[in-house]
């Protein structure tokens, strides 16, 4: 905004939902994600997957899977290149429409990620019934992770549950090497946070990828880093992309 500057999602999403504009924003986000993947491919930058956050409103629309399928076809993209992120409010929605939409999206071959897990009233029974491919542990568990044994215990439990259910577990908000080492010891699949990179616009991400030709170059230079697999230190640095 010319005078207000950046308006954060915590403010504008609620207004967009109230005024009915959130579906248009979601469709735009999906379109821009597909366009950006194609552009990166054309420029020789391989970003395996881009995740798009959608509001709970979108999943009540039975036409959403068809819309996603059409976008993927128009851009000649494999479904696995796109992940749809849901919130806990979607997870707790027991409506038949929502469940069928989620299953249809997963049937396309797209990823389905549970964002900010642990911030609301998650039901473990629902977790076992939804076709999720990924759980993202909210950054609030990581803020005092080095000193909070309770947070460590909960994180370990979620990692164990996700692993047994065949889901990838992502921890958000990793900012220190100590947090990274502790999560590595807990066998966390993926870590995301400022330790690896800050949110980047598409052009900046392209430069970042070219500068870091291997994932290992992202990590701090320590003896402990030498024995870590590339998969474990993969950063979801493009999760918070700002499309321009």
């Amino acid at each position: 905004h010319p005078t207000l500057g950046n308006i954060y999602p915590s403010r504008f999403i609620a207004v967009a939902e109230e005024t009915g504009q959130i579906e248009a924003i979601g469709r735009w986000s999906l379109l821009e994600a597909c366009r950006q993947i194609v552009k990166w491919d054309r420029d020789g930058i391989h970003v395996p997957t881009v995740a798009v956050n959608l509001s709970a409103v979108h999943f009540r629309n039975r036409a959403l899977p068809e819309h996603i399928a059409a976008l993927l076809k128009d851009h000649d993209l494999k479904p696995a290149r796109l992940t749809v992120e849901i919130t806990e409010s979607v997870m707790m929605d027991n409506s038949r429409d929502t469940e069928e939409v989620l299953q249809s999206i997963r049937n396309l071959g797209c990823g389905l990620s549970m964002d900010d897990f642990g911030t609301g009233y998650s039901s473990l029974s629902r977790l076992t019934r939804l076709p999720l491919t990924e759980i993202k542990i909210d950054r609030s568990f990581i803020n005092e992770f080095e000193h909070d044994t309770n947070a460590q215990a909960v994180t370990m439990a979620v990692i164990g549950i996700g692993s047994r259910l065949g889901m990838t577990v992502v921890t958000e908000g990793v900012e220190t090497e100590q947090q990274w080492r502790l999560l590595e010891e807990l066998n966390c699949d993926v870590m995301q946070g400022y330790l690896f990179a800050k949110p980047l616009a598409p052009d900046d991400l392209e430069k970042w990828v070219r500068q870091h030709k291997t994932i290992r170059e992202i990590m701090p230079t320590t003896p402990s880093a030498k024995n870590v697999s590339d998969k474990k230190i993969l950063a979801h640095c493009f999760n918070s992309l700002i499309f321009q």
Side-chain angles (χ1 to χ4, degrees):
H1 190 278
T3 55
L4 299 177
N6 287 332
I7 302 175
Y8 294 96
S10 57
R11 290 189 63 190
F12 77 74
I13 286 180
V15 176
E17 289 178 335
E18 290 174 6
T19 57
Q21 298 179 77
I22 194 67
E23 286 202 71
I25 293 173
R27 288 194 297 270
W28 173 84
S29 299
L30 288 166
L31 174 61
E32 286 300 306
C34 292
R35 284 178 176 173
Q36 188 61 58
I37 295 171
V38 171
K39 182 180 184 301
W40 277 325
D41 285 349
R42 188 172 61 244
D43 294 343
I45 300 296
H46 181 62
V47 175
T49 306
V50 172
V52 178
N53 296 76
L54 293 180
S55 166
V57 176
H58 294 94
F59 298 97
R60 302 186 192 118
N61 185 345
R62 286 179 173 267
L64 178 61
E66 184 178 348
H67 177 68
I68 292 175
L71 282 175
L72 293 169
K73 183 178 180 180
D74 290 346
H75 292 84
D76 193 25
L77 291 173
K78 294 181 179 180
R81 301 293 298 279
L82 183 68
T83 291
V84 176
E85 293 194 358
I86 69 173
T87 61
E88 287 190 314
S89 59
V90 177
M91 181 180 174
M92 299 305 294
D93 187 344
N94 289 313
S95 73
R96 185 173 180 179
D97 283 352
T98 297
E99 290 185 357
E100 290 184 359
V101 167
L102 291 173
Q103 187 61 60
S104 295
I105 292 172
R106 185 68 194 105
N107 290 345
L108 290 175
C110 297
L112 204 58
S113 176
M114 170 83 256
D115 193 23
D116 298 335
F117 184 78
T119 56
Y121 298 94
S122 303
S123 167
L124 292 179
S125 62
R126 288 283 291 159
L127 193 64
T128 62
R129 294 200 301 270
L130 292 177
L132 298 172
T133 58
E134 180 181 86
I135 305 173
K136 300 184 74 175
I137 302 174
D138 186 69
R139 64 181 300 117
S140 60
F141 288 94
I142 309 301
N143 289 340
E144 299 294 328
F145 191 68
E146 303 99 311
H147 317 292
D148 190 339
T149 55
N150 289 334
Q152 293 175 23
V154 172
T155 301
M156 181 171 63
V158 174
I159 291 172
I161 292 170
S163 176
R164 289 181 179 275
L165 293 176
M167 302 174 188
T168 299
V169 178
V170 182
T171 48
E172 302 175 319
V174 179
E175 298 186 357
T176 70
E177 187 181 343
Q178 188 177 357
Q179 291 171 345
W180 162 63
R181 287 201 304 267
L182 287 170
L183 289 165
E184 170 62 22
E185 291 173 3
L186 295 178
N187 293 315
C188 182
D189 296 312
V190 179
M191 302 173 207
Q192 168 189 322
Y194 283 9
L195 178 64
F196 311 104
K198 293 186 177 182
L200 301 169
D203 290 346
D204 293 329
L205 176 64
E206 188 170 328
K207 295 175 184 176
W208 185 90
V209 171
R210 293 189 189 282
Q211 290 171 357
H212 301 86
K213 294 182 180 179
T214 66
I215 294 171
R216 194 165 297 279
E217 293 179 18
I218 303 167
M219 295 307 303
T221 305
T222 64
S224 59
K226 295 179 180 179
N227 299 319
V228 182
S229 67
D230 283 348
K231 177 183 178 182
K232 292 289 182 66
I233 59 176
L234 175 63
H236 276 202
C237 60
F238 23 79
N239 180 65
S240 301
L241 283 174
I242 304 170
F243 289 110
Q244 296 178 337

